[in-house]
Amino acid sequence: MPEHRLPPGQHVPRGWPAVHYGPVPRFRPERWDLRVYGMTASLGEYRWTWPDFAALPRTDLTADFHCVTRFTRLGVCWSGVPTSELAALAPPADSATHVMVWAEYGYSANLPVADFLASDVLLATHRDGAPLAAEHGHPVRLVVPRRYGWKSVKWVRAIEYLDADRRGFWEERGYHNRGDPWREERYSYQEEPGDGPPLA
Ligand SMILES: Nc1nc2c(c(=O)[nH]1)N[C@H]1C(S)=C(S)[C@@H](COP(=O)(O)O)O[C@H]1N2
Ligand SMILES: [Mo]
C-alpha cells in the first residue's frame, strides 16, 4: 500500500465501522423522496420519488475514504448518480455559491457548489457491488472523497442551494468548515479568515 495515499494522521484499520450521530433511519420507499430547493435557477423545487431516482444516469467510482476520527478505507468502489447529473436536471442559479446536503433527522453538511459538483462526487446507492447497508446510508448517501467523511452525508433527502455559506451539523460543532484531509483541516480553530462563516 503506497504511503502517499494516506493523508497525515490517518491509518487503515481492519473492517469498516459505521460512524454516525443518532439512530439509523428505516427506508420506506413509498414515502421517500429527494428534493432540490433553495437558489435553483428556476427558483422552483424539484422532487424525485424512489423509482424516479433509481432511473437516473449512473456511474462507478473508486476512491479512498477518510474519517476525521483517523481511519481511512482505501479503494472503495461506489456506484450511484453523479451530483452533476442531478444538477443538470435541477440547475443552481448563477448566484448559488454553496449547498447544504440534508439527511434524515436533520443532519447536514455544507459544501461550495464547485466541490459538490466535482466529477468524483456521487449520490451513491451501492458500495463494492452491493446496495448500501442500512447503517452505511441506505438507500442514498453522498460520497465526497476529497473531504473528511462527515461531509459524505448518509440517508440524503435534500439538496439546498445557498447564496451564502452556512455551517452544517459538524461544521457548527467544532469541525473545520472545509475539511480537506490532505491539509489536515480537522477543527474549526484551524480555520483562517475566509474559510467559513463566523461561529455563533
Ligand atoms: N446522516 C448522517 N450522515 C453521516 C454521519 C451522520 O452522523 N449522519 N456521519 C458522517 C461521518 S463522521 C462519517 S466518517 C461517515 C461514515 O460513513 P460510514 O458509516 O459508511 O463509515 O458518514 C458521515 N455521514
Ligand atoms: Mo467521521
Side-chain angles (χ1 to χ4, degrees), residues 19 67-69 149-150:
V19 183
C67 173
V68 74
T69 64
W150 80 78

Side-chain angles (χ1 to χ4, degrees), residues 167 176-178 183 185 187-197:
R167 289 174 187 271
H176 197 285
N177 193 55
R178 186 169 45 241
R183 296 159 68 167
E185 294 170 336
Y187 308 113
S188 52
Y189 66 71
Q190 299 172 286
E191 289 176 20
E192 303 286 345
D195 279 347

Side-chain angles (χ1 to χ4, degrees), residues 16-21 65 67 103 107 135-136 141 149-150 152-155:
W16 186 326
V19 183
H20 50 263
Y21 179 84
F65 187 93
C67 173
Y107 183 90
E135 67 272 23
H136 289 292
R141 75 174 302 163
W150 80 78
S152 289
V153 176
K154 301 192 279 193
W155 314 298

Side-chain angles (χ1 to χ4, degrees), residues 100-200:
M100 190 70 78
V101 181
W102 290 101
E104 304 279 0
Y105 303 136
Y107 183 90
S108 61
N110 57 317
L111 290 164
V113 167
D115 292 359
F116 176 72
L117 296 181
S119 58
D120 60 351
V121 178
L122 271 192
L123 288 156
T125 57
H126 289 65
R127 189 184 97 194
D128 298 324
L132 294 174
E135 67 272 23
H136 289 292
H138 185 72
V140 181
R141 75 174 302 163
L142 192 68
V143 176
V144 190
R146 287 181 285 169
R147 294 295 174 260
Y148 280 122
W150 80 78
K151 304 263 188 191
S152 289
V153 176
K154 301 192 279 193
W155 314 298
V156 173
R157 290 294 303 274
I159 310 297
E160 180 186 7
Y161 293 137
L162 306 173
D163 60 6
D165 198 4
R166 205 165 78 209
R167 289 174 187 271
F169 183 85
W170 286 119
E171 294 84 1
E172 65 180 11
R173 289 173 175 78
Y175 288 89
H176 197 285
N177 193 55
R178 186 169 45 241
D180 180 344
W182 295 99
R183 296 159 68 167
E184 210 170 354
E185 294 170 336
R186 297 178 190 275
Y187 308 113
S188 52
Y189 66 71
Q190 299 172 286
E191 289 176 20
E192 303 286 345
D195 279 347
L199 276 158

